[in-house]
Amino acid sequence: MASTLIHSLQGLIIGHSKRVQGPAMQELPQLGPGAFILIENGKVVKTGNQAETPERADRMIDGAGRFVLPSWVDSHTHLVFAGSRETEFVDRLRGFSYEVIAQRGGGILNSANRLRAMPEEELYEQSLARLEEIRQFGTGVLEIKSGYGLSLESELKILRVIRRLKETSGMPIRASFLGAHSIPMEYRENRAAYLRLVQEEMLPQVAGEGLADYIDVFCEKVAFSVAETEQLLEAGWKYGLKPKIHVNQFYALGGIPMACKQGAISVDHLEVMDPDDIQALQQSSIIATLLPTAPFFLRDPLPNARELLEAGIPVALASDYNPGTTPSGRMGFVVSLACIQMRMLPEEAINAATINGAAALEWDDEYGSLHPGKWASLQITDPIPSLDYLPYRFGNDHTWKAFVEGKEV
Ligand code: NIG
Ligand code: FE
């Protein structure tokens, strides 16, 4: 297969080969002015300084003034959804809270009604268009959840759309089964029956068809209790599905120590934290995935990233792309917001949005940095004066060209 050489770069961000935490979060391994990266068969084969630049390749790209960095790894999205929810957005501007809207049957249930009514083909087309859009902005690895189906048939519909996206888009994707995203109205008086449906009907079929890599649960007052979540995670383990859960978005209920005990790969959201939660994370190897655009959109307090970082906990950043709390999948904005509002340093935010996102998908041996042997999933920036300029000039996506597994997208 053809080789591609990107040469004369202002900077080549190689990144860490494995997940990072502690003081290493502030380090971002890179090569200075004049660096090159050589790609063959979709993989990185060589990186180095100006003097070592190979003379020939099938395709030569002049990187003068530009940076190359690993693709964003968006490790938490709900990208397969139907339609939009701007009416609720305006309701919140008028003073109704996310929880009140959810209790009235809006929120996730509103999206579930739309999704149930949409033919699978249309759902696929809408989702593919979103995927193609974010790929242009540098996202090269993706996780997508179900959770807007909330019935056997509709959860399978979402997961089959995710599988089709895996097969057709060329994007590496992990799938999470989130049948326990909300209790459908018809089960509000009989929660146990919905839990049974998830465990006894959805899980066996989802696992039987190999449609999911992970199990997710929304552990929250408006959704599932800690005990219910634990029961679901144990059921997931029986089918080999590892947990990655939504937790501590609005309340600290004890879901984090439980997730640690259950061997979760990541705990996601963490807007609200107790000292016990920090301690449990410190004693585990779980990744703390922060989704700053969700509380930004809901006008909630953002997670205390500094506390997590200083406690030595590995932090990842993801978009949470969904119609209710983040109708945007732009990782560049997530990184800016993480710096501006959570005081993450640019190096920390870039590590969190690349290698630690990959680790949150157990893919840091293949993606998330640009070491020889890894996939050449990367972004070439516009000419910019420094790497710090990336989060500083917020609201702009600085991706000039994006490559996924060595192919320009
Ligand atoms: O991650 N918190 C739960 N799930 C989504 C929002 C779902 C929705 O409102 O549609 C989230 O923010
Ligand atoms: Fe989410």
Side-chain angles (χ1 to χ4, degrees), residues 76-78 81 85 88 92 98 102 106-109 111-112 145 147-148 178 181 216-220 222-223 246-247 249-250 268-269 271 291 294-295 298 319-326:
H76 180 135
T77 86
H78 307 247
F81 59 84
R85 303 220 307 259
E88 291 174 12
R92 277 198 309 279
Y98 180 84
I108 293 166
L109 298 185
S111 285
K145 301 170 191 307
Y148 290 124
L178 178 54
H181 197 189
D216 192 348
V217 176
F218 185 17
C219 182
E220 189 53 63
V222 288
H246 283 75
V247 70
Q249 182 175 9
F250 305 120
D268 303 27
H269 270 291
E271 280 86 329
L291 314 162
L298 297 181
S319 75
D320 202 14
Y321 196 176
N322 77 75
T325 67
T326 300

Side-chain angles (χ1 to χ4, degrees), residues 65-85:
R66 305 177 189 275
F67 286 78
V68 160
L69 64 155
S71 298
W72 304 129
V73 177
D74 196 347
S75 64
H76 180 135
T77 86
H78 307 247
L79 178 123
V80 177
F81 59 84
S84 55
R85 303 220 307 259

Side-chain angles (χ1 to χ4, degrees), residues 76-78 108 145-150 155 159 176-182 194 198 202 212 214-219 224 244-246:
H76 180 135
T77 86
H78 307 247
I108 293 166
K145 301 170 191 307
S146 67
Y148 290 124
L150 308 181
E155 284 294 303
L159 290 163
S176 301
F177 167 57
L178 178 54
H181 197 189
S182 180
Y194 188 67
V198 173
M202 295 187 194
Y214 299 105
I215 183 166
D216 192 348
V217 176
F218 185 17
C219 182
F224 296 86
K244 280 168 74 67
I245 67 167
H246 283 75

